[in-house]
Amino acid sequence: MSKIDNIYKNGDFNHLPFSFNEEVTQVFEDMIERSVPGYISSLKITEEITTKLFQKDSNFYDLGCSLGAVTHQVSDIVRTKNGNILAVDNSEAMIDSCKSRIKDSHISFILDDITKIEIENASVVSLNFVIQFLEPSVRLNFLKGIFKGLKKGGALLLSEKFSFDSNKEEETVSRIHHSFKLANGYSELEVSRKRDALEGVLISQSQAENEGLLYESGFSEIRKVMKNLNFVTFMAIKL
Ligand SMILES: C[S@@+](CC[C@H](N)C(=O)[O-])C[C@H]1O[C@@H](n2cnc3c(N)ncnc32)[C@H](O)[C@@H]1O
């Protein structure tokens, strides 16, 4: 059970940029549920799509797995089809926590940089709010590697925070997202401290830029399957 996220509440926060360290790992479940509208739905949609598209004897990749919420959601489906889950994160605290909580022979938790691993024999790949933390310049090559490692008929599920081209729209939607976080119990001060910590760490791109990256990587069938405020989920199929 995750602890309540009080990291930015009191004087005990550090002024460093945001990172997925031990402190964040301990409260991560609470943090993401209170900060990302539609997070739980993104897990359920991943489950639905995995039920339809996961192929027998193939691999499911949960890239940037954090505490393994996606892995947990699809575990039974993958096991039934004799598949394996490779859940990868470069945060030692996150991977250690996954390893101590989820033990199943068809799941491997791997401490590594997702841009350095080879994707192979995959029928579903999940990137649930992850590439926003990668340098924009490496995103295209990384997605090309995923496309290459997917089997025909396989899918990449890409969920991202996105930015708007129009400042007016950005302001309006950001204001609603701000209220969403306040309604979930964060104070103005916490929201503003976290925003400062994420500056330069979370780099969002527009919906069109994300779609463009998917097309350029080789995907030709791309569907927007969910959108909540400034968060979007695409399903990209390898035909
Ligand atoms: C917002 S969290 C992802 C949430 C998770 N997918 C879920 O659905 O609960 C982003 C994760 O990506 C990981 N991450 C960021 N850059 C990474 C990289 N280059 N290689 C591996 N993991 C990375 C972070 O450590 C963090 O755990």
Side-chain angles (χ1 to χ4, degrees), residues 200-226:
V201 176
L202 191 167
I203 303 167
S204 55
Q205 294 186 301
S206 70
Q207 291 190 82
E209 282 171 318
N210 279 302
E211 260 181 298
L213 283 174
L214 292 171
Y215 280 117
E216 251 193 279
S217 313
F219 294 98
S220 45
E221 186 177 319
I222 297 159
R223 305 271 178 256
K224 192 186 296 176
V225 291
M226 186 173 80

Side-chain angles (χ1 to χ4, degrees), residues 20 28 39 64 66 70 89-91 112-114 128-129 133-134:
F20 292 96
F28 183 71
Y39 171 68
S66 294
V70 167
D89 205 290
N90 65 355
S91 157
D112 211 337
D113 183 333
I114 54 173
N128 215 30
F129 308 107
F133 294 104
L134 300 181

Side-chain angles (χ1 to χ4, degrees), residues 18-78:
F18 183 86
S19 81
F20 292 96
N21 56 19
E22 178 64 42
E23 193 184 19
V24 168
T25 297
Q26 285 186 17
V27 301
F28 183 71
E29 213 173 323
D30 179 60
M31 175 185 277
I32 195 160
E33 284 186 35
R34 286 203 281 152
S35 311
V36 177
Y39 171 68
I40 298 294
S41 299
S42 75
L43 300 177
K44 293 196 171 139
I45 284 171
T46 303
E47 180 181 347
E48 289 308 319
I49 292 172
T50 303
T51 302
K52 291 201 165 43
L53 298 183
F54 189 76
Q55 301 173 24
K56 226 169 159 286
D57 300 316
S58 69
N59 292 329
F60 182 105
Y61 283 85
D62 179 3
L63 301 179
C65 62
S66 294
L67 294 178
V70 167
T71 289
H72 179 68
Q73 196 82 24
V74 302
S75 170
D76 288 347
I77 305 162
V78 173

Side-chain angles (χ1 to χ4, degrees), residues 120-232:
E120 43 195 18
N121 190 34
S123 61
V124 182
V125 177
S126 163
L127 279 169
N128 215 30
F129 308 107
V130 176
I131 69 166
Q132 59 201 25
F133 294 104
L134 300 181
E135 269 298 317
S137 61
V138 308
R139 295 180 190 180
L140 178 60
N141 266 344
F142 170 59
L143 293 176
K144 281 182 176 171
I146 292 176
F147 181 80
K148 189 163 165 257
L150 267 172
K151 292 162 79 74
K152 269 195 168 186
L156 166 63
L157 295 173
L158 176 72
S159 297
E160 282 284 282
K161 182 174 190 195
F162 68 90
S163 52
F164 293 89
D165 293 328
S166 129
N167 288 344
K168 195 155 180 259
E169 208 172 349
E170 181 76 48
E171 259 172 48
T172 310
V173 177
S174 297
R175 216 174 305 124
I176 303 170
H177 185 210
H178 186 86
S179 310
F180 170 88
K181 287 180 272 187
L182 297 186
N184 283 336
Y186 287 118
S187 66
E188 293 278 358
L189 190 61
E190 283 175 286
V191 174
S192 121
R193 282 171 168 173
K194 180 148 180 236
R195 190 177 43 239
D196 291 349
L198 279 168
E199 186 80 40
V201 176
L202 191 167
I203 303 167
S204 55
Q205 294 186 301
S206 70
Q207 291 190 82
E209 282 171 318
N210 279 302
E211 260 181 298
L213 283 174
L214 292 171
Y215 280 117
E216 251 193 279
S217 313
F219 294 98
S220 45
E221 186 177 319
I222 297 159
R223 305 271 178 256
K224 192 186 296 176
V225 291
M226 186 173 80
K227 182 168 156 299
N228 291 287
L229 299 178
N230 39 356
F231 294 84
V232 65

